[in-house]
Amino acid sequence: MKRVITLLRSLLLVLLAALLLKILVWDRRIVGEVEGVFLTYEGAVYREAGLSDWHVGERLGRVRFDDGSTAYLYTVEGEPNWLHVSFGWDGREYVRESE
């Protein structure tokens, strides 16, 4: 019984370490840049535009703005040419312009 408890405790520690690594490294990586009304992500250029009805999808990473600040970048569910930048209290939507 002690071996099972030790094994479960070790597994829990590994899972917690993986979660901490995701939070500290993966979620903080810069995947795009925003300059004015344009966002560059994976070689594609997106232009700021409003999308009236949307739902946030998968978190892609963070984008860096001209002033050095960062915000989270998300996909938009059902809209493959749109991305959403979230500031927590507000956000902006971007539509793909070119590759």
Side-chain angles (χ1 to χ4, degrees):
M1 189 63 172
K2 282 187 172 183
R3 281 186 173 175
V4 172
I5 292 173
T6 302
L7 181 63
L8 289 174
R9 188 177 295 156
S10 297
L11 181 60
L12 181 61
L13 287 174
V14 167
L15 290 174
L16 287 173
L19 179 62
L20 185 62
L21 181 65
K22 180 188 181 303
I23 291 169
L24 294 177
V25 177
W26 183 258
D27 285 350
R28 296 191 183 277
R29 67 189 172 97
I30 303 297
V31 297
E33 299 284 330
V34 177
E35 295 180 24
V37 297
F38 296 100
L39 179 148
T40 304
Y41 171 71
E42 291 188 344
V45 176
Y46 294 77
R47 179 180 36 83
E48 186 178 342
L51 185 60
S52 60
D53 186 26
W54 53 271
H55 296 282
V56 171
E58 176 186 355
R59 184 185 301 174
L60 301 171
R62 297 178 77 80
V63 292
R64 185 181 320 270
F65 289 88
D66 295 338
D67 64 359
S69 63
T70 62
Y72 284 114
L73 178 66
Y74 295 89
T75 61
V76 175
E77 287 185 1
E79 299 289 346
N81 291 322
W82 288 80
L83 295 174
H84 174 77
V85 174
S86 175
F87 305 106
W89 67 93
D90 196 9
R92 296 182 195 162
E93 292 77 48
Y94 292 83
V95 64
R96 181 187 305 241
E97 274 204 340
S98 69
E99 290 290 327

